[in-house]
């Protein structure tokens, strides 16, 4: 992987990250460095630790040991550090998490107004531009319940972008969608990937991972088993476990 990182600045550094849920060891000393402008797909079977790892990167799950640095700031219980990091790390969830009582425009404009103290008119103008970017400017005055799942997820992406994050985390963003809605969300993510923003994407969409990612990490049983280019992973995986996983999902790419 070193050839992929040449000249790039580290933005997230995870060192010996461990996480337990009771007696279950979800993360077993995970080490990984992510670089500015890099798109990383994180794949693996259900329960392998990939989503747990992603959630530790903005403290939605507190790691039990090890260290995580985000843009040089240590992620820990220090609320000042946590606030600084969450300003720079956007997240898109499986289940959209939009505010049902707010219009689509307001959903996107709210965080910059509250967190960055952006004036309302400026925040709403930017929100409208972002909705245009994800193909939903004409839905700005509707409410989440009036939109399809795919549309809601595109609003969630616009909302994450509204904070001008340095990093975008995606936690299986298409897994809750009907099949016909998956492509519209992937199209937005594909466009984002080509803009140079740093993206970490936990996904089961192998075709998307192969096409868009600069790098693929394969998780298994709480550890990183492979960390390489898409070409290497899909044509010459190093581990039998990876080969078995890919054979099960080969219909996706």
């Amino acid at each position: 992987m070193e050839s992929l990182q040449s000249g790039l600045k580290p933005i997230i550094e995870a060192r010996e990250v461990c996480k337990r849920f009771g007696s279950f060891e979800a993360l077993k000393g995970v080490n990984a460095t992510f670089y500015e402008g890099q798109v990383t797909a994180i794949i693996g079977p259900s329960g392998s630790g990939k989503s747990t790892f992603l959630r530790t990167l903005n403290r939605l799950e507190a790691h039990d040991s090890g260290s995580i640095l985000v843009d040089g700031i240590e992620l820990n219980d220090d609320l000042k550090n946590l606030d600084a990091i969450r300003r720079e790390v956007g997240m898109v969830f499986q289940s959209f998490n939009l505010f049902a009582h707010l219009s689509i425009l307001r959903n996107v404009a709210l965080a910059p107004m509250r967190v960055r103290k952006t004036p309302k008119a400026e925040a709403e103008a930017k929100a409208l531009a972002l909705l245009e970017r994800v193909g939903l400017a004409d839905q700005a005055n509707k409410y989440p319940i009036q939109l399809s799942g795919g549309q809601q997820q595109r609003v969630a992406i616009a909302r994450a972008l509204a904070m001008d994050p340095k990093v975008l985390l995606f936690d299986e963003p298409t897994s809750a969608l009907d099949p016909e809605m998956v492509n519209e969300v992937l199209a937005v993510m594909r466009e984002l990937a080509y803009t140079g923003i740093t993206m970490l994407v936990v996904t089961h969409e192998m075709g998307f991972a192969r096409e868009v990612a600069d790098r693929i990490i394969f998780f298994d049983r709480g550890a990183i088993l492979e960390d390489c280019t898409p070409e290497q992973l899909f044509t010459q995986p190093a581990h039998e476990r990876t080969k078995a996983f890919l054979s099960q999902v080969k219909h996706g790419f």
Side-chain angles (χ1 to χ4, degrees):
M1 286 300 296
E2 286 303 315
S3 61
L4 286 180
Q5 327 305 358
S6 178
L8 299 179
K9 176 188 173 184
I11 187 73
I12 296 176
E13 299 170 81
R15 296 289 175 264
E16 295 297 323
V17 173
C18 295
K19 174 66 180 178
R20 286 182 174 273
F21 295 100
S23 61
F24 176 67
E25 197 172 11
L27 298 175
K28 304 173 181 178
V30 174
N31 290 286
T33 300
F34 302 93
Y35 298 83
E36 282 190 344
Q38 189 179 66
V39 178
T40 303
I42 302 174
I43 68 172
S46 296
S48 61
K50 57 191 187 297
S51 286
T52 298
F53 176 65
L54 194 78
R55 290 168 66 86
T56 65
L57 300 181
N58 66 356
R59 203 69 172 176
L60 289 176
E61 296 287 356
H63 54 290
D64 296 322
S65 61
S67 66
I68 298 172
L69 295 178
V70 180
D71 202 20
I73 302 172
E74 183 165 5
L75 185 58
N76 51 32
D77 289 329
D78 185 313
L79 293 180
K80 184 177 179 181
N81 283 8
L82 183 58
D83 182 59
I85 287 169
R86 285 185 173 167
R87 287 170 180 260
E88 307 301 342
V89 179
M91 187 154 187
V92 178
F93 301 88
Q94 297 178 36
S95 55
F96 325 139
N97 291 355
L98 300 178
F99 293 111
H101 66 291
L102 297 179
S103 70
I104 297 309
L105 183 68
R106 189 73 171 175
N107 262 281
V108 177
L110 185 63
M113 291 168 59
R114 291 280 181 86
V115 178
R116 297 198 187 275
K117 309 304 179 186
T118 305
K120 180 181 177 181
E122 181 182 337
E124 290 189 346
K126 181 175 182 179
L128 192 59
L130 288 169
L131 288 172
E132 179 73 37
R133 184 173 177 181
V134 300
L136 292 172
D138 59 338
Q139 309 294 318
N141 294 318
K142 291 186 178 180
Y143 289 80
I145 196 171
Q146 297 174 280
L147 272 58
S148 70
Q151 289 173 321
Q152 289 187 59
Q153 191 62 292
R154 284 187 279 154
V155 173
I157 293 172
R159 181 180 60 181
L161 289 169
M163 287 289 287
D164 294 318
K166 293 182 178 178
V167 181
L168 272 180
L169 308 178
F170 293 83
D171 187 9
E172 299 189 29
T174 61
S175 65
L177 300 178
D178 293 333
E180 64 268 23
M181 298 177 186
V182 169
N183 285 338
E184 66 187 59
V185 173
L186 293 180
V188 171
M189 293 173 62
R190 189 177 291 110
E191 184 270 330
L192 283 178
Y194 296 139
T195 66
I197 191 169
T198 307
M199 295 169 58
L200 279 66
V201 185
V202 172
T203 185
H204 290 294
E205 300 290 338
M206 296 299 109
F208 173 81
R210 186 170 192 170
E211 174 192 354
V212 175
D214 302 303
R215 167 188 185 186
I216 295 189
I217 288 177
F218 177 70
F219 262 85
D220 188 51
R221 298 181 181 180
I224 292 176
L225 202 59
E226 307 225 24
D227 183 353
C228 57
T229 65
E231 182 68 17
Q232 289 171 314
L233 187 108
F234 288 114
T235 62
Q236 294 182 312
H239 295 268
E240 289 301 320
R241 181 68 187 93
T242 316
K243 294 176 185 177
F245 173 79
L246 292 176
S247 71
Q248 293 174 343
V249 299
K250 64 182 178 180
H251 62 279
F253 61 98

